[in-house]
Every structure is written in structure tokens, then in C-alpha cells.
Amino acid sequence: MTIVNFTPWTALIGGACIGAGALLLMLAAGKTAGISGIVSGIATQADKHWRLAFVLGLILVPGVLFATQLVAVPELASMSVVKLVLAGLLVGVGTRLGNGCTSGHGICGIGRFSWRSLVATVVFMVAGIATVSALGWGA
């Protein structure tokens, strides 16, 4: 699988958008934009409305960008469905074991100067790189 249309500018714009979204959620609602906590809270918390709106936005915005062809759709046809499902399950298990995800720890936690989040993010990244390298899925 090759990276399509990666440039430092698109990465910078994407990162700025993610950071702005996390900041807006913090300022508007006093909530941390940790995706795993937001998604799990849909079933368990009383404040479902903002959580559903947040997740819906995560799905609709890329859909609009892909539909209008402002962003190229990643080529997943060559990827094995088994690998994609297994990768998703491993991310879910890792999120549970790490008590959070890269959005909660990596974006919001590090932004709050949390050492716990810094360590968690480094562990997430090292484990991900090691897994992809060991299984040869990066090629």
C-alpha cells in the first residue's frame, strides 16, 4: 500500500484541523476529544447528543471531501479484508489496554503536558510500527 498525495502541507492542514476540533470541543463543552471515550460514552453516558454529533461529523466530513473529490480516496481494494478487520480489532484492544487512544492521549493529553499521555503515545507508536514491520503489512 502506498501513501497517496502525502505532502507536509496536507499533513499540517490536517493536524491543524484536528487540533482546532479538539480545542473547540474543550472550549465549548469542557470535554476532551478522545475518540474511544466519546464512542464508548454513547452507550453509557446521559450526554449522548454531542457524542453522536461528534462521531457523525467524523464520518460525514471525509465522506463529503471524498464525494466532492477534494481529497483522494485511499486505495483499499488491494488490502485483504481479513487484515483490515484484524487491524481494527487490534486497535480496539490496544485502545482498551491503554485506557485511551492516540487522539485522547496524543492530541489532548500531550497538549495538557501529561506525562502519562506522552508515555502512552510513545508506546502506541512503537507498538504500531513494530507490528507493521514484523507482519510486513507496510509494503
Side-chain angles (χ1 to χ4, degrees):
M1 186 168 99
T2 58
I3 297 175
V4 178
N5 196 23
F6 174 79
T7 67
W9 293 111
T10 56
L12 180 64
I13 291 167
C17 288
I18 292 169
L23 180 62
L24 183 62
L25 184 61
M26 180 61 78
L27 292 175
K31 305 290 183 183
T32 301
I35 306 307
S36 60
I38 291 171
V39 171
S40 68
I42 291 172
T44 61
Q45 301 294 320
D47 58 349
K48 295 174 185 359
H49 299 296
W50 76 265
R51 293 171 188 276
L52 287 169
F54 192 92
V55 172
L56 192 60
L58 290 175
I59 296 166
L60 289 178
V61 170
V64 169
L65 293 174
F66 294 152
T68 59
Q69 297 181 349
L70 291 173
V71 176
V73 178
E75 179 60 46
L76 297 178
S78 63
M79 291 291 295
S80 160
V81 173
V82 173
K83 283 184 180 180
L84 289 173
V85 170
L86 183 59
L89 289 172
L90 287 172
V91 168
V93 169
T95 296
R96 190 63 151 157
L97 290 173
N99 289 324
C101 55
T102 52
S103 58
H105 285 298
I107 297 167
C108 300
I110 291 175
R112 292 188 329 261
F113 303 109
S114 166
W115 281 102
R116 177 178 173 261
S117 290
L118 177 63
V119 170
T121 303
V122 169
V123 170
F124 294 157
M125 294 299 142
V126 169
I129 291 166
T131 301
V132 168
S133 297
L135 297 176
W137 289 2

